[in-house]
Amino acid sequence: MTRKIAVIRHGIKHGAIITYIDTHHLPDTNPFILWDHYLSNNQSHNELDFHGHSGIDAVSYPVVGSIQSNDSINGKDHIQTGDIHLTTCGHGIVHKSLMKPHHGVAEAFQMWTASPSGKKGEMATPSSIHIASEKLPLIESTHATTKVLIGQYYDVESPVKHNCNIIYLDIIVTSYGSWTFTPPETHVAGFIYLRSGQAYIANNQLHPNQMGIFSHSQLPITVTTTNHSARFFIALGEPLNQQLITKEGSVHSSTNNLHIALENIQQIIKQLQPIGEAHK
C-alpha cells in the first residue's frame, strides 16, 4: 500500500509565476498554504517592490540564479542557488526581492506554511535564517539522491528549524528507478511537485509542472520512473488545529491577530518607503 493522490493541480500562471494552492485547497494542504514556481527565461531582473506578510513561515529556494532579498528584519541578503531562506513573519514584516538570472534563466520555488497560533508562532517577533546549500544534507542511494531541505529524512536532519512539524525534500530519481519513504504518523498532509521528467505514484502519472496533493494518510510514499529520470519535491506536514484566515499575504488564526498584524505592516511600509525610494 502506498499513499494516494487526491487531486492533480496544473497551476495558474501569473506572468513568470505559477501558483498551485488556492484557499479552497487549505483543508487538504494545511499547514501548507502556498506553493509557487517562478521561472523566467529572459535576461531581465525581476523585482517585487516592498510588500508585507504576517502569520506565515516562508521558504525561498532558488534552483537557477539567485534572489536578492531586502527585508525589515535583517536588511539585505543574497540567496544563492540551492540555498534555503526561511522567514518567520510573525506579527508582520515588509520585504522586497529581486530574482537574478544565470545565463538568462531564473527559477525558484516559494513555499509558505501557516504559523502555529499564539505569541510564539503567528504573533512572534519576526526572524529569518539562511542556510547555504553545502550545509544541507544530501543522501545518495542506488536510484535516488535526496536533499533534506527541512525536517528529518530517516536518521538525517536538516539544520533548518521550522515552526511547523514538516518535511521538505528535493529528490532526483534515475530512469527505471524508485524512491520510497515512510513519513512520521503525524505527517498526514502534503504534496508532490514534479519539476522535470516523468514520475508515477499510486497509478498516477505526473508530468512536469504538476502538483499531486496527497490524500490524508499515514501510508508510505513510493515514486517510480520508467525511461525518464525525474526531479521532484515532496512536502509533508502535521496539520495545524486552528482557523486559517487569509488576507493580503497574511494568515492568522483570528481576525483580531490579522488586524493587528496588518496595522504593523502598514507602519513598517511607511518607515521603509523613503529608503526604497532613495535606492531606485
Side-chain angles (χ1 to χ4, degrees):
M1 296 287 289
T2 185
R3 196 172 301 199
K4 291 180 169 57
I5 290 176
V7 62
I8 294 177
R9 292 278 295 149
H10 300 268
I12 299 173
K13 188 172 177 60
H14 304 278
I17 297 174
I18 308 176
T19 188
Y20 287 86
I21 298 178
D22 295 327
T23 303
H24 67 273
H25 293 126
L26 297 187
D28 296 318
T29 62
N30 173 5
F32 305 103
I33 58 172
L34 179 139
W35 175 264
D36 280 0
H37 182 180
Y38 176 95
L39 178 61
S40 175
N41 293 304
N42 60 53
Q43 296 283 345
S44 64
H45 293 186
N46 296 273
E47 184 171 18
L48 291 174
D49 206 351
F50 281 115
H51 60 285
H53 299 291
S54 64
I56 65 170
D57 288 89
V59 181
S60 300
Y61 184 47
V63 295
V64 182
S66 61
I67 303 172
Q68 183 74 53
S69 177
N70 187 3
D71 63 38
S72 55
I73 305 171
N74 297 317
K76 291 184 178 180
D77 193 10
H78 194 190
I79 311 164
Q80 302 284 357
T81 300
D83 293 356
I84 280 286
H85 188 273
L86 168 63
T87 302
T88 296
C89 297
H91 55 60
I93 71 151
V94 169
H95 81 125
K96 63 190 295 186
S97 59
L98 175 68
M99 283 295 307
K100 293 189 172 183
H102 178 70
H103 296 309
V105 178
E107 184 177 9
F109 294 89
Q110 184 80 198
M111 183 179 76
W112 297 357
T113 68
S115 300
S117 60
K119 293 183 178 179
K120 293 184 178 180
E122 62 176 317
M123 301 304 287
T125 300
S127 62
S128 65
I129 183 172
H130 180 176
I131 301 295
S133 181
E134 60 267 21
K135 294 183 179 179
L136 297 168
L138 201 62
I139 313 303
E140 295 185 348
S141 61
T142 304
H143 299 290
T145 300
T146 303
K147 187 176 182 181
V148 188
L149 305 179
I150 297 175
Q152 186 166 334
Y153 175 70
Y154 293 109
D155 60 347
V156 178
E157 189 170 0
S158 166
V160 181
K161 305 302 180 185
H162 196 281
N163 276 325
C164 292
N165 194 11
I166 69 167
I167 295 171
Y168 182 23
L169 307 172
D170 180 0
I171 304 141
I172 297 174
V173 178
T174 63
S175 57
Y176 300 103
S178 66
W179 179 90
T180 299
F181 177 54
T182 303
E185 292 183 354
T186 52
H187 291 53
V188 297
F191 61 86
I192 177 173
Y193 182 82
L194 186 64
R195 178 179 179 248
S196 61
Q198 293 181 0
Y200 298 82
I201 179 167
N203 296 323
N204 289 281
Q205 181 179 2
L206 286 178
H207 297 279
N209 302 332
Q210 289 184 344
M211 167 189 279
I213 299 175
F214 290 120
S215 299
H216 281 202
S217 170
Q218 295 178 341
L219 291 172
I221 297 166
T222 298
V223 181
T224 60
T225 60
T226 54
N227 60 326
H228 294 278
S229 62
R231 182 176 181 183
F232 54 92
F233 301 94
I234 282 185
L236 303 164
E238 179 180 1
L240 296 170
N241 185 22
Q242 64 193 55
Q243 289 191 85
L244 298 177
I245 303 170
T246 65
K247 185 177 181 181
E248 299 174 4
S250 294
V251 179
H252 288 276
S253 63
S254 71
T255 53
N256 183 58
N257 285 346
L258 177 63
H259 177 72
I260 293 170
L262 291 178
E263 284 195 341
N264 288 341
I265 289 169
Q266 289 305 312
Q267 290 300 317
I268 299 170
I269 288 177
K270 288 179 182 179
Q271 295 170 6
L272 289 183
Q273 199 60 49
I275 298 174
E277 293 293 333
H279 285 81
K280 282 186 176 179

